[in-house]
Amino acid sequence: MRLFLLFSLLCISIASNAAVYRWVDENGKVHYTDEPKENAELVEINQNTQNTAELNTLKRNSPAQEKPKEQPTLELTIVSPIHEETIRSNEGKIDVTVGVAPRLPKGVLLALFVDGEIKAQPQTSTLFKLSGINRGEHTIVVKALDQNGKVLALTPPRKIFLHQATVILRPTPRGN
């Protein structure tokens, strides 16, 4: 059985090394075939003949040569309240207006921080209405955040004072 298999493989390898003939017809068209034709010539094929092709590759600029896209610098300012302003509100209400230059890019949100804690949900509006703020000195900062929470810009800290009037009930003297 092994001998038969070896003989079959030997025959296949000899048959695969068949001759190639080249001939030209009456119209001048070149043909190739494995059967000899009239006026056909035998084409010698070297064993180490290899077809090669060169690919035209696109030349890309190296990262050092590429110019990064310039992102416009986002500038935020607190328009109101003004620095060290005293706000009188018994309910602890403060309205904060933010100026943005240039326009707020798509997907960027503004977040308001009072004394380092976020006090309003991030939003696209430049007007924040706060309530329930306790009396005293507070520092306000507004940050521009991208979708991942990265800070793109922030305002300089703004110090404000919230004044709430109090009524101290004193017992009234009773006459004897």
Side-chain angles (χ1 to χ4, degrees), residues 35-56:
E35 298 176 6
K37 299 274 185 184
E38 193 176 316
N39 296 329
E41 61 183 43
L42 182 63
V43 177
E44 300 256 346
I45 299 176
N46 296 331
Q47 291 297 332
N48 60 1
T49 302
Q50 297 178 357
N51 292 332
T52 59
E54 292 183 23
L55 297 175
N56 293 333

Side-chain angles (χ1 to χ4, degrees), residues 58-74:
L58 294 174
K59 293 183 180 179
R60 292 186 177 211
N61 293 337
S62 66
Q65 292 174 339
E66 289 183 12
K67 293 181 181 177
K69 291 182 180 177
E70 297 273 335
Q71 292 284 352
T73 304
L74 193 60

Side-chain angles (χ1 to χ4, degrees), residues 168-173:
I168 299 174
L169 297 175
R170 296 183 185 179
T172 53

Side-chain angles (χ1 to χ4, degrees), residues 92-114:
K93 293 183 178 181
I94 302 173
D95 292 341
V96 178
T97 306
V98 181
V100 180
R103 268 180 72 191
L104 195 62
K106 190 173 185 176
V108 175
L109 299 173
L110 298 175
L112 178 73
F113 291 80
V114 177

Side-chain angles (χ1 to χ4, degrees), residues 145-171:
L145 308 173
D146 69 4
Q147 295 170 346
N148 298 325
K150 180 181 174 187
V151 177
L152 302 176
L154 56 97
T155 62
R158 177 73 49 103
K159 185 189 300 185
I160 60 160
F161 303 97
L162 182 63
H163 179 76
Q164 294 175 329
T166 60
V167 177
I168 299 174
L169 297 175
R170 296 183 185 179

